[in-house]
Amino acid sequence: MAEKEESRKKDQANAKRDYLERHTANDDGEMLTTNQGVKVNDDHNSLKAGERGPTLLEDFHMREKITHFDHERIPERIVHARGSAAHGYFELKESMSEYTSAHFLQTPGTRTPVFVRFSTVAGSRGSTDLARDVRGFATKFYTEEGVYDLVGNNMPVFFIQDAMKFPDLIHAVKPEPDSEMPQAASAHDTFWDFVSLTPETLHNVFWAMSDRGIPRSYRMMEGFGIHTFRLVNKEGKSVFVKFHWKPVLGVHSVVWDEAQKISGMDPDFHRRDLWEAIENGNYPQYDFGVQIVPEEDEHKFNFDLLDPTKLLPEELVPVKIIGRMTLNRNPDNFFAETEQVAFHPGHVVPGIDFTNDPLLQGRLFSYTDTQLIRLGGPNFHEIPINRSVSPIHNNQRDGYMRQTINRGKSSYNPNTTEGGYPLQAKASEGGFVSHRERIDAHKVRARSESFIDHFSQPAMFYHSQSQPEKNHIISALRFELGMVKDEAIRKRVVSLLYMIDQSLADKVAMGLGLTAEAPDKITNHNVPADADPNDYQSPKKNPDVESSQALSMANTRKDTIETRMIAVLAADGVDDDSLMKMKKALEEEGAMVKIVAPRVGKIKTAAGNELMADKSLLNAASVLFDAVYIPAGIKSMMALKEEHKAIHFLDEAYTHCKAIAADGDGVDLWRESAAGKKEAMADKDEKTAVLHGVLLNQKPSEFIKAIAQHRFWDREKVPA
Ligand code: HDE
């Protein structure tokens, strides 16, 4: 632990130094000053004509202070407004020189500073972290050749195929325009209306309705670049590439009932989790992977590599891990860094290039445009968090909030006044040269025929899920469509589900009091006015693979409890040995143990020792923890028995399928809960309880194994 603490401190010190080198440090003087540097004598009282008189307009300090305050807010992001971020570094493990000339991907061991922002999509800046939604996963690499942004999501596909549809999609999912409801939720008419008329959304809809839409932590979710990009090597040879982030702790989620309750107990759940993990030295880590497709294989698959609603199954092209990212420092200031960071898929460095994915092409326009309104002008690249570590020399000048003081006469090219400087760079000198892709085509507004199969990949995704995951998708669809008021919309969605999987459609329909039927025809509305929609029916092709292991979270890592939050229910009289032995064992495995007692402050153990309770039953709930332990101690158990919230804690942990352990008298408290009684009636003896994730009088090692399983789905009520 001491070593870990030491290395954490060192990492943080290094990170801070790097940061200060990269950014202009604030000169922290001791005295309060105005923005003009005048020392302030009184920051509490405005200047008045007499103690009880009117305030004077002359009070420059008050006017400056209030004016600045009045202008503190900037427009929030139109999408991904709610987010949290961290600094860190990316370390290359395997050289990619065969495929790309990008400097930061050449030499194993190269460390590149990064800033990563995670987000939800639909909600406002102050909305809950636990909304059912896609999560943004945007990484800014400060490379020596300039800034490279990988602006991805936690799902490998997107809702639409063409940028032209993005405003429609976002208008549909945002709160409805008349009532501004609901906040941060897709469960309403306009979203599902759009889905029902836009079958290309279905694949991403399935991901969002799966447990991926409610991650346990930003530290436990994958990231995907989604689009196919290009890597280009020194010889100018290009390959296609898909980018992946794989969390070292595995991919885990919460359950929907839990998500809704967390939103009440702690709307900052993911933000807090990320912040605290980094403060505690538990640095989030993600492996960086690539799927590489040679140019000659472009048309080898049953889907189009340029279609962002399709994923490339790992069975066809494995993900090659080439490096690891570590997030080791929290921002110093949320606004200056997390809010003002400006990502852009068009920020690429030599060796990384675009494809003609029509969604990506549209994004290349949108991100600069949005920063102009959000950050107020064209100089947002000068905000410290956005600055490149490589120097910037060009003839751009002026504009709102210009920081750079350019010297000399020349602001044009070619020039002689500055000897022709700054010069263009040859490719061999690191100049960016776009890949020489040959294009010979008609100028048209159209969708490629190769994009028009909207069913086989959602089917592949669904069929790849474990039974509990399938059940969760059915319940999520029932929940969401149950919030839709217009029955015609519900029916249209169910008929689309029918095209993906009939038994799924039947189950969803049953929950909505409908009967699932195949649609008369799948009319694609995204066609030009002059086209015949019948020409655009969505055929269901054969998927390249029926099911893919990597798509199910059941196959993720389940051998660690590192950073998991474990609640210990205790009160005065708790047995010292029973508590401390378990606490020590859990902490040795890297878990975080919190004592939850009837009140905060000290509790007295059976042996007369004093312990600090971390939380009271009033400000903690089982939804904020991964598992719960009840130590022995008759007095503690008797006191907790009187607490309705302690009993509820256990019942809820059970409903959410979490590992529960009890020792000695603690077992009696467990038996007080409805779940404990049910288990006793079902005659679950202490051995079978282990399989069930309820560990009564078992060794700490058994509890540790159980927590690592994440959840015990066999306890869950299956949708009829
Ligand atoms: Fe974005 N997206 N997006 N997006 N996006 C923005 O840019 C946009 C898309 C993604 O933490 C905005 O700076 C269009 C796909 C993330 O700051 C905006 C289209 C993917 C973030 C924008 C897409 C993303 C954004 C809003 C369709 C995954 C948050 C604020 C053509 C690969 C970045 C901003 C952060 C943010 C436009 C589609 C990911 C308006 C037009 C696909 C992670 O420019």
Side-chain angles (χ1 to χ4, degrees):
M1 273 320 252
E3 252 174 49
K4 205 170 166 187
E5 177 63 7
E6 193 53 31
S7 109
R8 179 179 88 85
K9 282 199 178 133
K10 220 166 106 193
D11 274 3
Q12 286 214 323
N14 288 343
K16 183 106 187 171
R17 198 200 52 226
D18 293 352
Y19 173 79
L20 291 177
E21 272 172 18
R22 200 168 65 229
H23 303 273
T24 318
N26 279 334
D27 175 14
D28 285 330
E30 284 178 15
M31 303 294 181
L32 192 70
T33 72
T34 67
N35 286 338
Q36 303 305 320
V38 175
K39 286 185 184 147
V40 171
N41 171 259
D42 183 347
D43 191 41
H44 307 289
N45 300 294
S46 53
L47 187 68
K48 301 179 200 76
E51 279 166 16
R52 300 178 60 248
T55 302
L56 299 177
L57 192 60
E58 147 188 345
D59 187 350
F60 61 85
H61 174 48
M62 186 196 73
R63 275 190 289 113
E64 180 197 82
K65 186 173 175 180
I66 290 185
T67 306
H68 195 277
F69 169 78
D70 290 344
H71 295 251
E72 268 174 15
R73 290 290 170 272
I74 61 171
E76 65 175 31
R77 289 165 173 83
I78 167 69
V79 283
H80 297 266
R82 170 75 185 173
S84 302
H87 292 269
Y89 60 86
F90 168 70
E91 182 167 332
L92 187 71
K93 296 257 189 280
E94 195 163 321
S95 173
M96 294 294 287
S97 58
E98 185 185 343
Y99 303 111
T100 176
S101 61
H103 179 266
F104 78 111
L105 298 177
Q106 300 300 300
T107 317
T110 304
R111 280 189 176 192
T112 304
V114 296
F115 186 68
V116 179
R117 184 173 181 272
F118 304 105
S119 49
T120 54
V121 178
S124 294
R125 196 182 138 181
S127 60
T128 173
D129 282 341
L130 264 288
R132 177 179 292 287
D133 200 351
V134 175
R135 298 298 184 288
F137 190 136
T139 308
K140 192 175 279 295
F141 295 81
Y142 302 91
T143 89
E144 289 183 15
E145 294 174 304
V147 169
Y148 169 52
D149 287 345
L150 179 53
V151 197
N153 283 344
N154 75 327
M155 301 176 188
V157 291
F158 200 64
F159 292 101
I160 46 169
Q161 295 174 321
D162 192 305
M164 195 74 158
K165 299 309 301 163
F166 193 65
D168 299 296
L169 166 74
I170 299 305
H171 286 172
V173 72
K174 282 272 180 183
E176 297 189 2
D178 49 356
S179 61
E180 180 76 359
M181 291 193 284
Q183 179 55 246
S186 51
H188 57 110
D189 285 48
T190 53
F191 177 70
W192 289 98
D193 188 31
F194 182 78
V195 167
S196 73
L197 301 172
T198 318
E200 73 202 54
T201 55
L202 288 171
H203 194 186
N204 202 160
V205 163
F206 265 69
W207 279 80
M209 293 303 119
S210 81
D211 292 346
R212 307 268 182 157
I214 39 173
R216 159 67 181 83
S217 159
Y218 289 141
R219 304 175 294 117
M220 298 171 199
M221 63 181 205
E222 290 177 295
F224 303 89
I226 299 192
H227 313 284
T228 303
F229 289 89
R230 280 179 185 278
L231 293 179
V232 186
N233 71 11
K234 283 208 171 68
E235 286 73 48
K237 189 172 159 35
S238 157
V239 290
F240 294 109
V241 64
K242 294 251 186 207
F243 294 115
H244 295 250
W245 292 113
K246 295 196 179 261
V248 169
L249 291 176
V251 192
H252 304 284
S253 288
V254 299
V255 299
W256 179 230
D257 179 65
E258 193 185 0
Q260 293 176 86
K261 289 171 177 159
I262 294 173
S263 290
M265 284 301 295
D266 186 7
D268 303 310
F269 187 71
H270 285 154
R271 176 174 291 180
R272 193 182 311 284
D273 169 274
L274 179 67
W275 181 276
E276 287 182 354
I278 294 175
E279 289 301 300
N280 290 329
N282 294 320
Y283 300 145
Q285 290 190 309
Y286 308 81
D287 284 327
F288 189 47
V290 289
Q291 283 176 298
I292 294 207
V293 178
E295 275 202 324
E296 45 289 12
D297 289 351
E298 180 177 358
H299 301 293
K300 201 171 127 184
F301 311 105
N302 267 344
F303 61 91
D304 196 324
L305 275 179
L306 300 187
D307 175 356
T309 66
K310 306 295 184 296
L311 60 86
L312 176 55
E314 292 187 26
E315 283 72 10
L316 301 183
V317 179
V319 175
K320 183 182 160 82
I321 301 299
I322 62 161
R324 181 170 278 193
M325 177 164 76
T326 304
L327 301 181
N328 60 2
R329 187 165 62 82
N330 280 315
D332 290 314
N333 183 280
F334 184 91
F335 181 83
E337 302 177 83
T338 310
E339 198 57 14
Q340 292 200 109
V341 66
F343 292 97
H344 186 352
H347 292 163
V348 288
V349 289
I352 301 180
D353 212 330
F354 316 117
T355 60
N356 299 327
D357 171 342
L359 194 72
L360 174 59
Q361 292 284 321
R363 292 181 77 199
L364 297 178
F365 162 73
S366 177
Y367 287 67
T368 310
D369 187 40
T370 210
Q371 310 311 344
L372 293 176
I373 179 78
R374 197 170 75 79
L375 298 170
N379 288 316
F380 55 86
H381 61 283
E382 296 189 331
I383 296 172
I385 194 68
N386 294 325
R387 271 187 213 158
S388 155
V389 285
S390 60
I392 297 169
H393 306 289
N394 61 39
N395 296 309
Q396 295 169 31
R397 292 291 184 275
D398 310 346
Y400 281 113
M401 305 298 164
R402 183 67 169 179
Q403 311 285 305
T404 309
I405 302 176
N406 295 102
R407 299 204 174 83
K409 280 193 194 308
S410 137
S411 52
Y412 55 95
N413 182 21
N415 70 67
T416 57
T417 47
E418 296 289 340
Y421 286 93
L423 305 175
Q424 301 178 139
K426 293 182 183 148
S428 59
E429 293 167 328
F432 186 94
V433 181
S434 292
H435 178 62
R436 275 170 66 87
E437 183 179 356
R438 190 188 149 81
I439 296 181
D440 179 9
H442 293 285
K443 195 194 287 181
V444 290
R445 285 187 187 276
R447 274 300 148 102
S448 167
E449 228 187 277
S450 56
F451 278 37
I452 306 178
D453 158 24
H454 306 311
F455 300 118
S456 35
Q457 284 222 348
M460 172 186 72
F461 175 74
Y462 184 65
H463 296 144
S464 305
Q465 304 301 300
S466 63
Q467 193 55 49
E469 288 171 305
K470 285 183 178 160
N471 296 340
H472 297 167
I473 293 174
I474 293 165
S475 300
L477 285 164
R478 283 182 177 180
F479 175 90
E480 297 262 324
L481 293 169
M483 300 295 272
V484 169
K485 297 191 191 84
D486 183 343
E487 197 177 59
I489 297 176
R490 292 184 191 164
K491 279 187 178 156
R492 278 204 302 277
V493 176
V494 169
S495 72
L496 288 178
L497 299 179
Y498 193 89
M499 296 298 293
I500 291 166
D501 185 281
Q502 288 180 21
S503 72
L504 159 91
D506 284 341
K507 287 202 167 128
V508 175
M510 198 191 293
L512 300 170
L514 298 173
T515 315
E517 279 168 24
D520 297 340
K521 67 169 104 125
I522 306 295
T523 311
N524 194 328
H525 291 254
N526 297 331
V527 297
D530 290 326
D532 178 355
N534 289 324
D535 293 344
Y536 287 82
Q537 299 230 0
S538 182
K540 192 169 175 179
K541 292 190 189 163
N542 287 331
D544 297 80
V545 297
E546 289 295 332
S547 79
S548 170
Q549 283 254 324
L551 306 187
S552 165
M553 290 165 52
N555 303 321
T556 194
R557 190 174 167 195
K558 290 190 177 158
D559 60 354
T560 174
I561 65 163
E562 260 181 69
T563 77
R564 292 314 187 108
M565 282 285 196
I566 320 297
V568 174
L569 293 186
D572 287 339
V574 64
D575 184 279
D576 298 64
D577 219 38
S578 174
L579 191 155
M580 295 318 282
K581 217 167 106 191
M582 182 62 90
K583 186 167 185 289
K584 186 163 170 273
L586 294 170
E587 285 176 346
E588 273 171 6
E589 294 294 318
M592 314 297 286
V593 179
K594 302 279 175 208
I595 296 177
V596 180
R599 54 184 155 66
V600 286
K602 288 177 188 149
I603 55 176
K604 235 194 181 106
T605 66
N609 294 316
E610 283 186 342
L611 280 178
M612 283 305 268
D614 298 287
K615 294 255 170 170
S616 83
L617 284 163
L618 272 184
N619 45 37
S622 83
V623 293
L624 305 178
F625 296 89
D626 293 291
V628 48
Y629 172 59
I630 325 158
I634 182 92
K635 220 177 120 204
S636 164
M637 185 272 291
M638 295 299 283
L640 289 167
K641 256 189 188 177
E642 297 303 313
E643 299 280 347
H644 161 74
K645 281 190 175 267
I647 308 294
H648 181 64
F649 204 106
L650 296 172
D651 275 320
E652 208 165 47
Y654 186 84
T655 309
H656 297 148
C657 308
K658 296 174 183 179
I660 298 168
D663 185 34
D665 316 296
V667 176
D668 292 350
L669 184 68
W670 163 243
R671 295 273 185 239
E672 271 307 292
S673 70
K677 287 187 185 126
K678 195 172 100 189
E679 291 262 310
M681 292 225 325
D683 205 17
K684 292 234 159 53
D685 64 23
E686 294 182 2
K687 283 244 162 54
T688 52
V690 173
L691 298 172
H692 215 49
V694 179
L695 297 109
L696 308 178
N697 294 315
Q698 301 291 324
K699 285 195 261 137
S701 56
E702 294 296 325
F703 189 36
I704 287 165
K705 260 193 266 163
I707 303 167
Q709 287 307 303
H710 187 61
R711 298 295 162 98
F712 291 84
W713 298 124
D714 61 334
R715 283 189 217 150
E716 203 173 36
K717 196 167 173 286
V718 177

